[in-house]
Amino acid sequence: MDVKEYIASGILELYVAGELSPEENLEVQHYAIQYPEIKKEIEEIEKAILELTEAASPKMPQDGFAKVKAELGDVIPFTPEASSGKGTPWGSYLGWAASVLLAIGLFWMYTENSKLKSEIELTNQEKQSLEDILTDTQEEITSKETLLQQIRDKNVTVIALGGQTVSPSSYAKAYWNKEESKVIIDAQGLPEPPDGFTYQVWSLKLDPLTPTSIGLLDDFASQDTRLFTLENANESEAFGITLEPEGGSKTPTLEQLYTLGAVGS
């Protein structure tokens, strides 16, 4: 449980005010035993309310108890003449009532302020989340635009890679820029590799057949564009893609050759 979020929710103020259901009270008590921070926060709220009440209430004079005792010991007969004697200290009663109402009002303001802080914090978190999503989206758009510019470069040679025996329906494209020694593999036509395997791209010399690995198509499932940029400084005559164990192989597994295409074909 997120203790800070629970404290900021305002439920502890409602607990101290006695506004929760019995089940909710038990839940708060359980968390107070389990988390010292919650217990301390409850004590701080109770302390704050007591201080507010004490500050707002009228102070009893030092001889106040003696006066009350004298009042209790002075039995006044109920007669019309006696009714004009000592009156009931209504002013004191009203003062205490006003202090209680003030304390309740201050407590309500404290609770509402805590709720407002929680709402502001939640709004800030949502704002940050939206900003992060926007940033990620902008970076993704920039990345795709960069890839499109590279693919459309006048120095790029496009090689179509057709499906082979193990997977006749597979296909891919290689966008090779010899000037920059880079090749972009469009693997949209390849099925997702099984667990424990990855696709490996090979630059091929045909006579004699000499394969050279130029990289792996790792994180295949997470790449929604299926576009992979690899370094290729070879004098390639063809490109092939095989399915290999994770980490790749030193030589291609020809039985798992998924696509193949010759340069200039």
Side-chain angles (χ1 to χ4, degrees), residues 68-128:
V68 172
K69 183 178 180 181
E71 290 286 347
L72 293 174
D74 188 7
V75 180
I76 304 173
F78 183 69
T79 61
E81 292 78 12
S83 63
S84 61
K86 298 178 179 178
T88 305
W90 292 108
S92 297
Y93 294 160
L94 290 174
W96 279 100
S99 68
V100 171
L101 290 175
L102 177 60
I104 293 173
L106 291 173
F107 178 74
W108 178 83
M109 291 177 63
Y110 179 82
T111 303
E112 290 299 309
N113 185 53
S114 298
K115 290 180 180 178
L116 182 59
K117 287 182 179 178
S118 299
E119 292 174 359
I120 291 173
E121 183 178 352
L122 181 60
T123 301
N124 288 336
Q125 291 175 354
E126 292 176 347
K127 178 184 176 184
Q128 184 61 49

Side-chain angles (χ1 to χ4, degrees), residues 35-247:
Y35 301 101
E37 302 97 315
I38 293 178
K39 180 181 179 182
K40 182 179 179 182
E41 183 67 18
I42 292 173
E43 293 173 349
E44 291 294 330
I45 294 171
E46 291 174 340
K47 181 181 177 182
I49 296 302
L50 289 174
E51 289 176 352
L52 288 171
T53 304
E54 182 180 355
S57 63
K59 306 297 182 181
M60 180 178 284
Q62 295 181 355
D63 60 345
F65 181 74
K67 289 184 177 180
V68 172
K69 183 178 180 181
E71 290 286 347
L72 293 174
D74 188 7
V75 180
I76 304 173
F78 183 69
T79 61
E81 292 78 12
S83 63
S84 61
K86 298 178 179 178
T88 305
W90 292 108
S92 297
Y93 294 160
L94 290 174
W96 279 100
S99 68
V100 171
L101 290 175
L102 177 60
I104 293 173
L106 291 173
F107 178 74
W108 178 83
M109 291 177 63
Y110 179 82
T111 303
E112 290 299 309
N113 185 53
S114 298
K115 290 180 180 178
L116 182 59
K117 287 182 179 178
S118 299
E119 292 174 359
I120 291 173
E121 183 178 352
L122 181 60
T123 301
N124 288 336
Q125 291 175 354
E126 292 176 347
K127 178 184 176 184
Q128 184 61 49
S129 178
L130 290 173
E131 289 178 350
D132 292 342
I133 292 173
L134 179 60
T135 299
D136 292 342
T137 302
Q138 289 175 337
E139 290 177 353
E140 185 177 348
I141 291 172
T142 301
S143 177
K144 288 180 178 179
E145 289 177 347
T146 301
L147 282 172
L148 283 174
Q149 290 175 359
Q150 292 174 351
I151 288 172
R152 291 167 178 169
D153 191 285
K154 65 180 181 178
N155 296 317
V156 166
T157 301
V158 182
I159 302 97
L161 310 181
Q164 302 301 300
T165 303
V166 69
S167 182
S169 61
S170 293
Y171 63 92
K173 284 186 178 180
Y175 297 87
W176 182 26
N177 189 325
K178 293 183 66 175
E179 299 294 325
E180 297 182 3
S181 299
K182 288 184 179 180
V183 59
I184 297 174
I185 301 296
D186 180 358
Q188 192 67 45
L190 292 176
E192 188 171 323
D195 292 340
F197 290 85
T198 187
Y199 288 113
Q200 190 164 359
V201 183
W202 305 89
S203 167
L204 304 173
K205 293 282 287 184
L206 298 179
D207 190 19
L209 182 61
T210 307
T212 302
S213 174
I214 60 174
L216 305 175
L217 307 186
D218 285 334
D219 301 322
F220 192 89
S222 62
Q223 290 283 356
D224 60 335
T225 62
R226 299 289 197 268
L227 294 173
F228 300 84
T229 302
L230 305 173
E231 298 292 329
N232 180 38
N234 302 287
E235 288 297 325
S236 304
E237 294 179 353
F239 292 94
I241 301 176
T242 60
L243 184 68
E244 305 290 345
E246 282 186 351

